[in-house]
Amino acid sequence: MSDKEELRKARDAWDEKTAKAMARFPERKAKFVTGSDAPVNRLYTPLDLSDQDYIKDLGMPGEFPFTRGVQSTMYRGRLWTMRQYAGFGTAEESNARYRYLLAQGQTGLSVAFDLPTQIGYDSDHALAAGEVGKVGVAIDSLEDMETLFSSIPLDKVSTSMTINAPAAVLLAMYIAVAEKQGVPAKALEGTIQNDILKEYVARGTYIFPPEPSMRLITDIFAYCSAEVPNWNTISISGYHIREAGATAVQEVAFTLADGIAYVDAAIKAGLDVDEFGPRLSFFFNAHNDLFEEVAKFRAARRVWAHIMRDRFHAKNPKSLMLRFHTQTGGSTLTAQQPKNNVVRVAIQALAAVLGGTQSLHTNSMDEALALPSEESVKLALRTQQILAYESGIAETVDPLAGSYYVESLTSSIEKGVNAYLDRIDAMGGAVKAIEQGFIQQEIQDSAYAWQMDMERGDRVVVGLNKFQAKEEPPKGLLRVDPLVGERQIAKLKALKARRDNAAVDAALARLKVAAQGTDNLMPPILDAVKAYGTLGEICDVLRGVFGEYSPSVMF
Amino acid sequence: MDDSCAALAEQCVAGNIRAIARFITLLENEDTQAFAALNYFKDSGQAAQVIGITGPPGSGKSTLTDKLVAGFRAQGRRVGVLAVDPSSPFSGGAILGDRLRMQRHATDPGVYIRSLASRGALGGVSRVTGAAVQVLEAAGYDRILIETVGVGQSEIDIVKIADCVVLVSVPGLGDEIQILKAGIMEIGDIFVVNKADRDGADRVVREIRAMLETQYMLAAGQKPHAEPDTLAGRMFEESVTGHHGNTGGHVDGYGDAPGAAPVLKTIAENGEGVADLIKAIEGHFARGISSGAMASRRLERVRSQLQDLVSAQVMQSIAGEKGSGSLDDLATQVVERRLDLYSASKLLLSRYFQGEKR
Amino acid sequence: MDRKIRVVVAKPGLDGHDRGAKVIARALRDAGMEVIYTGLRQTPEQIVDTALQEDADVIALSILSGAHNHLFPRVTELLAEKGVDDILVFGGGVIPEEDIPFLKSKGIAEIFGPGTPTQVTVDFIKTNVKRK
């Protein structure tokens, strides 16, 4: 009798015995599911992994298909980058927060922009009223960007910027600030999010229709591969897709589908996959179901490696590696008993590290209530530091590999993702699937199902639908000065009076011509930025040529 | 008649938005006073041009409607929009999302947009859509656009309301031609292939042309061409890819094929072809008015509406009765084989007319 | 025929997080209401004109950007300017508790924070709708 047969016999016997026992001692629930509603078995054994081939499916760390991680020594070599997303109010206030975070041991910057900036409006635009400086820092011109990075040497930090529709403009401003600091573009390190497709489905800060948006993205790819070679030109984001209500499988599937669309667009634009492939990066969410989340990250790496090798024929190993940033799940935080969020964030951060993340943002406990206070941001950072230096999880590579449960979850997520990718391919790719509302509809269905599960009590959220308690409203929440808007508008006015307006007009006119043609848009945008053309002025030129996106909403 | 409904009707005629909105709600709620007050509108305002926009889901009807609103506004017209979405058969509720794409007109005093739930009606419009048109006409809207449900069923009730039906299709849905084949072709006065920058737009145009050709030949008693690549195909090649180029819309009026409806290409998203669509709509009205076709169409429409209304009222009255000789009673007799269906219907009708005499 | 409650669900301001607005839209539909969904980036003027044209009984506002103190009162002010006093206005989103008294003083009937069951919102509307 082979080992496998012996095992099967033992398993059958155990199943029988357990079934008998359960007649007297039933399980807690009729159905056990993951955080994403995938079924969970009572027990996992080597039988569940009988299709698995170690070399083919897992491989060694730093080797295809990268299931075990993208570096050979992982955190033994270097810890993940602890990168807290921050920014609010004016450039001065955010600059102070960044310098505080760097002093606390944070190793990278992550810039949050306010909504007018993200949608390409200056602070004096009618739609910006009430929004200036609220969810991030307000940037109208190069002048604000100079203030934002004042006394922060751009050759020493890596900077991640959550900017999408107008990413080209903010990147141009960053390059211009560096130049003024005497730092060449070739020395810059960082990331722009630059992922417009997930804006259409989940985050909503779009400006232009898909086609010109994709052109802006591929223009950035082309420009950076020559001029800013260490810059991550896109952060293909599942984070917001998950926040919008997607399951773990949907998060990975829709993110990788977007990734495929970007690679396709870049190849169509004449770029070599191994030129830009290594600069692609990803951004995922981490929710509470520890094992499912770890499996999700591992599955994502495996699927992407196959996509890049088999579909796009990438040769450079770096093109095959899915490198990603993780943020813990904002939507899992509760406004009720906010201190409980500290524990949730710790579990989620644990999942991200066990899943092999390259960088991590841990949410602050008060984020379901308002922007995080300095105190709670520090606690969130300390959570990462405890994981890194005290928990021991960083001392070996991919410690959960070989767990019967985690490996079978990894495989089942991979299968689920591939099934979605096949459907999206059949629709003609992610752009088409978004235009038809398919991806939005799938996410909304999951969001609604989750809400109904929660309201029925099938899903417990501690402090929210179980173990509730009366509590005092929290105090000391961060408030953005309501006068930020006025100050920002005054600065903008002064700038427009002071700058060489003829030079601005000329630069904007050149940009318009370029937008109407097919030249790379980065150089004319850089010129306009350096002439102190504002973000709104630059985006208005592009709006005039490209038009604006109108959303597709389905229920 | 209720005084408050009469007052409301007067305010509608004066163009008061709240009154118009409230009046349409009363109609939706089957308020008999409101229906009686429609009397106020019989000679108010001028007959508007009523344009139906119909087609399968995802064909871009709302975006096209948005662009038509802008086009008519640029001509100085006052525009009313009635956008119909389906009600949930389970809860009776509805999510009405069509106006999402028209929100830039929300604050324009020359535009009134009203979302209507189908409330169980299956023909693509709600039961009160026709009455709502009367309200908007009386309130001085001279272009009224009706966007139908667009679930791909046979949404042919729009012909009972609109003077001009624009049938929108789009390449790439796979089943667009099947939907057209399912008997909806006949209602189109103007055919639009939207999202014409997509692959396959020319093929859809070609297939519509071929079908129109076949329809015309059949109507004229001639043998239709079996293949779309004969006459219709050549016509298409000349008209669409010819001197006009292949971007945007192209108006080919009735001139190049007797009886054939215009087939246009649009890209509603960026407005391409919309000006030509407006021209085609204007052409439809101009020809219809000068030939008298529009007048007879309106007469036919009112006849049909009248029939529907009368049968609805008769049914309502019959359904409300109880006891011996009632709908329930006669139905039971038919089930118990004491009566046949035809005789039962006669009995019901005679009972109704007796009731009317009382 | 029973009268349908008509609700305008709108997102004022610039934030694009519409998960909550969409979930509530569905829940209200499933509770038998007619929901007019206007989508993102709506100005208070657009929201109020929409509610009037649609003869809405209720305006439900969702915002996560922090601009609620600026935008919510604009909606009730505009309604008052137009002499409208029978539309119920309430809000939801990430809104600090300490802002709620101010918003209520401006005519916002209720603020529902994160985690509010949809049934609570449904019941609130049914109880408080001003036109019966």
Side-chain angles (χ1 to χ4, degrees):
Chain A
M1 194 158 48
S2 75
D3 285 358
K4 205 162 167 185
E5 281 163 27
E6 205 166 323
L7 179 56
R8 196 175 303 280
K9 237 175 100 184
R11 172 74 207 245
D12 289 347
W14 181 84
D15 278 342
E16 204 173 311
K17 196 174 83 186
T18 309
K20 273 186 204 146
M22 275 171 53
R24 277 181 300 143
F25 305 107
E27 292 179 328
R28 280 184 290 120
K29 295 184 279 190
K31 201 177 92 180
F32 288 78
V33 294
T34 66
S36 291
D37 220 24
V40 178
N41 298 340
R42 182 169 302 124
L43 181 72
Y44 291 82
T45 67
L47 291 172
D48 295 284
L49 307 181
S50 50
D51 314 339
Q52 195 181 63
D53 175 329
Y54 182 87
I55 295 295
K56 215 171 109 277
D57 296 325
L58 300 182
M60 294 299 164
E63 290 177 13
F64 191 86
F66 305 98
T67 310
R68 303 206 60 184
V70 294
Q71 291 114 0
S72 52
T73 61
M74 285 306 289
Y75 307 127
R76 288 167 67 103
R78 202 186 118 210
L79 289 168
W80 64 92
T81 305
M82 299 177 195
R83 197 193 290 280
Q84 299 295 98
Y85 184 53
F88 59 92
T90 58
E92 287 83 0
E93 289 169 285
S94 295
N95 176 259
R97 174 69 70 97
Y98 296 156
R99 283 154 67 178
Y100 170 82
L101 284 166
L102 291 170
Q104 295 298 314
Q106 175 166 300
T107 46
L109 292 178
S110 177
V111 182
F113 296 100
D114 73 356
L115 287 162
T117 305
Q118 293 186 48
I119 305 174
Y121 296 133
D122 285 340
S123 298
D124 60 355
H125 192 281
L127 280 170
E131 303 277 11
V132 176
K134 280 277 162 43
V135 304
V137 59
I139 300 291
D140 290 325
S141 72
L142 179 58
E143 190 181 52
D144 294 326
M145 203 72 159
E146 289 162 5
T147 309
L148 187 66
F149 293 106
S150 162
S151 306
I152 298 172
L154 297 189
D155 52 348
K156 298 282 187 328
V157 294
S158 80
T159 303
S160 167
M161 292 191 268
T162 299
I163 194 74
N164 294 280
V169 185
L170 276 299
L171 174 61
M173 288 182 184
Y174 193 80
I175 294 170
V177 171
E179 203 172 277
K180 295 203 161 186
Q181 287 188 0
V183 177
K186 293 209 158 51
L188 293 178
E189 281 188 35
T191 307
I192 42 174
Q193 199 161 72
N194 200 23
D195 170 13
I196 197 66
L197 294 177
K198 66 91 176 53
E199 296 296 331
Y200 299 134
V201 301
R203 194 167 171 274
T205 67
Y206 43 73
I207 306 176
F208 315 112
E211 205 180 307
S213 296
M214 295 299 268
R215 172 196 170 180
L216 275 167
I217 290 167
T218 52
D219 279 0
I220 292 170
F221 287 1
Y223 182 84
C224 288
S225 77
E227 307 292 334
V228 203
N230 296 322
W231 197 263
N232 296 313
T233 48
I234 193 166
S235 173
I236 306 162
S237 304
Y239 180 82
H240 317 89
I241 291 173
R242 189 72 179 277
E243 287 297 288
T247 64
V249 168
Q250 288 170 340
E251 178 189 358
V252 176
F254 300 153
T255 308
L256 299 191
D258 289 350
I260 290 169
Y262 294 125
V263 175
D264 265 332
I267 290 173
K268 270 205 193 100
L271 306 181
D272 175 356
V273 66
D274 282 323
E275 283 280 312
F276 67 85
R279 299 323 303 172
L280 302 178
S281 66
F282 289 81
F283 174 21
F284 290 112
N285 208 314
H287 274 212
N288 286 328
D289 189 322
L290 179 70
F291 296 115
E292 181 175 54
E293 294 300 298
V294 174
K296 176 188 81 179
F297 298 123
R298 302 173 82 246
R301 273 195 296 269
R302 186 149 85 206
V303 177
W304 185 247
H306 279 284
I307 290 168
M308 288 301 274
R309 189 189 71 177
D310 305 340
R311 188 190 287 236
F312 294 117
H313 313 294
K315 306 258 172 345
N316 184 345
K318 286 200 157 57
S319 304
L320 311 178
M321 293 177 187
L322 178 143
R323 296 169 303 122
F324 66 101
H325 171 70
T326 306
Q327 180 170 340
T328 58
S331 63
T332 68
L333 304 184
T334 59
Q336 296 75 12
Q337 305 176 34
K339 283 180 184 156
N340 296 346
N341 294 330
V342 176
V343 183
R344 294 190 178 99
V345 168
I347 294 169
Q348 295 163 5
L350 181 63
V353 175
L354 290 172
T357 195
Q358 277 58 62
S359 60
L360 178 61
H361 165 104
T362 34
N363 285 329
S364 303
M365 65 176 191
D366 47 7
E367 283 186 57
L369 303 161
L371 281 175
S373 64
E374 205 159 84
E375 188 64 24
S376 66
V377 173
K378 187 161 73 182
L379 179 55
L381 179 59
R382 295 288 180 255
T383 306
Q384 294 200 39
Q385 290 161 339
I386 291 168
L387 285 175
Y389 296 102
E390 298 183 22
S391 75
I393 56 171
E395 313 303 283
T396 187
V397 175
D398 190 24
L400 287 182
S403 151
Y404 308 126
Y405 181 36
V406 171
E407 292 297 356
S408 49
L409 271 175
T410 304
S411 296
S412 74
I413 290 174
E414 177 188 18
K415 280 197 192 86
V417 169
N418 280 325
Y420 262 123
L421 290 178
D422 288 345
R423 282 174 79 179
I424 292 169
D425 281 342
M427 289 177 199
V431 177
K432 290 268 155 36
I434 291 166
E435 282 174 354
Q436 290 173 31
F438 168 76
I439 292 178
Q440 298 91 313
Q441 180 82 55
E442 291 289 305
I443 297 171
Q444 279 169 45
D445 287 348
S446 297
Y448 196 57
W450 192 94
Q451 180 73 22
M452 293 302 122
D453 279 355
M454 206 264 294
E455 291 189 19
R456 277 192 306 269
D458 292 349
R459 203 169 271 292
V460 171
V461 180
V462 172
L464 181 62
N465 64 352
K466 206 168 186 174
F467 314 113
Q468 295 103 321
K470 279 236 179 307
E471 50 193 328
E472 282 293 298
K475 300 219 163 44
L477 296 175
L478 181 98
R479 292 217 151 251
V480 176
D481 183 346
L483 296 178
V484 163
E486 286 168 36
R487 282 207 300 276
Q488 196 63 24
I489 291 169
K491 269 203 293 186
L492 190 59
K493 220 180 220 168
L495 171 77
K496 284 186 180 174
R498 199 171 58 237
R499 68 183 185 182
D500 178 352
N501 281 303
V504 174
D505 291 346
L508 292 176
R510 284 194 299 275
L511 174 62
K512 186 175 177 186
V513 172
Q516 287 163 335
T518 56
D519 285 354
N520 194 307
L521 290 173
M522 275 304 290
I525 289 174
L526 199 53
D527 286 347
V529 160
K530 285 182 183 170
Y532 290 89
T534 68
L535 174 67
E537 289 168 337
I538 292 169
C539 288
D540 277 347
V541 167
L542 298 177
R543 281 187 186 94
V545 179
F546 296 155
E548 291 186 65
Y549 177 72
S550 89
S552 158
V553 168
M554 313 256 174
F555 283 91
Chain B
M1 190 197 307
D2 186 294
D3 277 353
S4 66
C5 267
L8 205 55
E10 263 173 48
Q11 290 176 305
C12 288
V13 174
N16 178 313
I17 296 294
R18 285 211 90 191
I20 296 167
R22 185 64 47 89
F23 202 97
I24 294 174
T25 303
L26 290 173
L27 293 172
E28 285 197 295
N29 295 341
E30 294 178 8
D31 183 299
T32 50
Q33 306 287 350
F35 277 99
L38 284 173
N39 177 41
Y40 265 82
F41 301 144
K42 63 178 183 289
D43 54 357
S44 302
Q46 282 187 315
Q49 294 188 357
V50 184
I51 300 146
I53 314 288
T54 190
S59 56
K61 294 186 293 296
S62 303
T63 308
L64 200 58
T65 305
D66 168 72
K67 292 296 196 301
L68 287 174
V69 171
F72 287 130
R73 287 298 292 148
Q75 299 177 346
R77 304 290 179 187
R78 299 186 69 218
V79 187
V81 178
L82 300 169
V84 192
D85 265 326
S87 296
S88 158
F90 306 106
S91 70
I95 294 179
L96 312 170
D98 289 336
R99 73 174 292 144
L100 181 102
R101 288 172 183 275
M102 310 172 199
Q103 276 302 79
R104 63 179 169 139
H105 304 296
T107 56
D108 177 348
V111 178
Y112 175 86
I113 304 171
R114 174 64 180 246
S115 312
L116 299 170
S118 67
R119 300 199 180 179
L122 295 174
V125 292
S126 74
R127 281 186 201 87
V128 302
T129 308
V133 167
Q134 287 183 47
V135 179
L136 294 183
E137 269 183 337
Y141 293 94
D142 43 18
R143 295 290 180 274
I144 298 171
L145 300 170
I146 302 168
E147 183 184 336
T148 70
V149 168
V151 291
Q153 296 172 347
S154 39
E155 297 176 0
I156 53 172
D157 284 357
I158 187 67
V159 287
K160 297 181 186 168
I161 303 170
D163 303 314
C164 174
V165 174
V166 178
L167 190 48
V168 188
S169 58
V170 62
L173 289 186
D175 55 353
E176 66 273 8
I177 288 301
Q178 266 173 309
I179 287 165
L180 295 180
K181 277 178 183 161
I184 205 170
M185 281 292 277
E186 289 81 355
I187 70 166
D189 298 302
I190 296 170
F191 292 80
V192 167
V193 178
N194 191 27
K195 307 188 183 178
D197 51 340
R198 287 195 185 169
D199 293 346
D202 291 344
R203 188 180 53 79
V204 180
V205 170
R206 218 163 18 235
E207 291 186 30
I208 293 172
R209 293 305 216 103
M211 257 184 286
L212 289 172
E213 169 93 346
T214 303
Q215 229 172 48
Y216 173 73
M217 297 274 187
L218 282 171
Q222 297 175 18
K223 190 173 177 293
H225 292 278
E227 295 300 321
D229 61 353
T230 54
L231 178 56
R234 279 201 306 280
M235 266 165 28
F236 156 74
E237 292 300 341
E238 286 157 16
S239 63
V240 179
T241 61
H243 57 281
H244 279 84
N246 57 5
T247 55
H250 169 72
V251 182
D252 54 309
Y254 288 23
D256 54 4
V263 183
L264 313 169
K265 292 202 288 182
T266 59
I267 307 172
E269 201 73 37
N270 64 14
E272 274 186 57
V274 174
D276 287 335
L277 174 56
I278 289 179
K279 268 187 219 149
I281 292 170
E282 284 167 347
H284 171 82
F285 279 94
R287 274 190 307 277
I289 290 164
S290 69
S291 71
M294 193 61 70
S296 51
R297 182 171 176 160
R298 284 187 181 165
L299 185 65
E300 181 48 44
R301 206 169 68 208
V302 172
R303 273 170 50 96
S304 152
Q305 286 175 344
L306 210 47
Q307 283 172 356
D308 285 356
L309 208 54
V310 169
S311 57
Q313 284 173 30
V314 169
M315 279 318 299
Q316 202 178 1
S317 157
I318 287 172
E321 300 270 323
K322 294 274 172 256
S324 169
S326 71
L327 178 62
D328 284 351
D329 177 46
L330 292 173
T332 310
Q333 290 189 42
V334 173
V335 171
E336 291 171 353
R337 296 173 165 246
R338 288 184 278 134
L339 194 66
D340 72 286
L341 205 52
Y342 183 74
S343 308
S345 72
K346 289 281 180 203
L347 284 169
L348 265 179
L349 271 180
S350 63
R351 180 186 158 97
Y352 171 75
F353 286 118
Q354 276 162 14
E356 287 297 289
K357 276 181 211 132
R358 272 204 306 269
Chain C
M1 155 128 342
D2 58 329
R3 211 176 75 72
K4 300 274 180 212
I5 296 176
R6 288 173 67 86
V7 186
V8 168
V9 173
K11 281 197 60 66
L14 297 178
D15 85 85
H17 299 103
D18 55 3
R19 173 180 181 169
K22 283 175 170 169
V23 164
I24 208 67
R26 276 199 192 197
L28 300 183
R29 175 196 63 191
D30 290 349
M33 300 180 198
E34 290 184 350
V35 179
I36 297 99
Y37 188 80
T38 65
L40 306 180
R41 301 187 200 171
Q42 297 293 298
T43 63
E45 288 78 8
Q46 282 174 311
I47 293 166
V48 166
D49 283 344
T50 297
L52 297 186
Q53 292 172 22
E54 297 287 354
D55 195 31
D57 304 283
V58 182
I59 297 176
L61 302 168
S62 162
I63 194 164
L64 282 84
S65 72
H68 48 270
N69 282 349
H70 179 80
L71 294 168
F72 283 9
R74 270 303 285 156
V75 171
T76 45
E77 273 166 34
L78 285 167
L79 285 171
E81 274 170 30
K82 292 179 190 260
V84 180
D85 57 4
D86 57 358
I87 296 181
L88 176 71
V89 184
F90 69 87
V94 177
I95 293 168
E97 197 136 341
E98 57 201 32
D99 290 354
I100 295 175
F102 166 75
L103 293 171
K104 285 192 171 172
S105 78
K106 292 291 177 185
I108 308 297
E110 191 54 89
I111 295 291
F112 295 110
T116 308
T118 54
Q119 190 59 45
V120 171
T121 311
V122 169
D123 293 342
F124 175 82
I125 291 175
K126 286 184 174 166
T127 313
N128 292 287
V129 68
K130 294 181 185 173
R131 285 159 48 196
K132 305 281 175 181

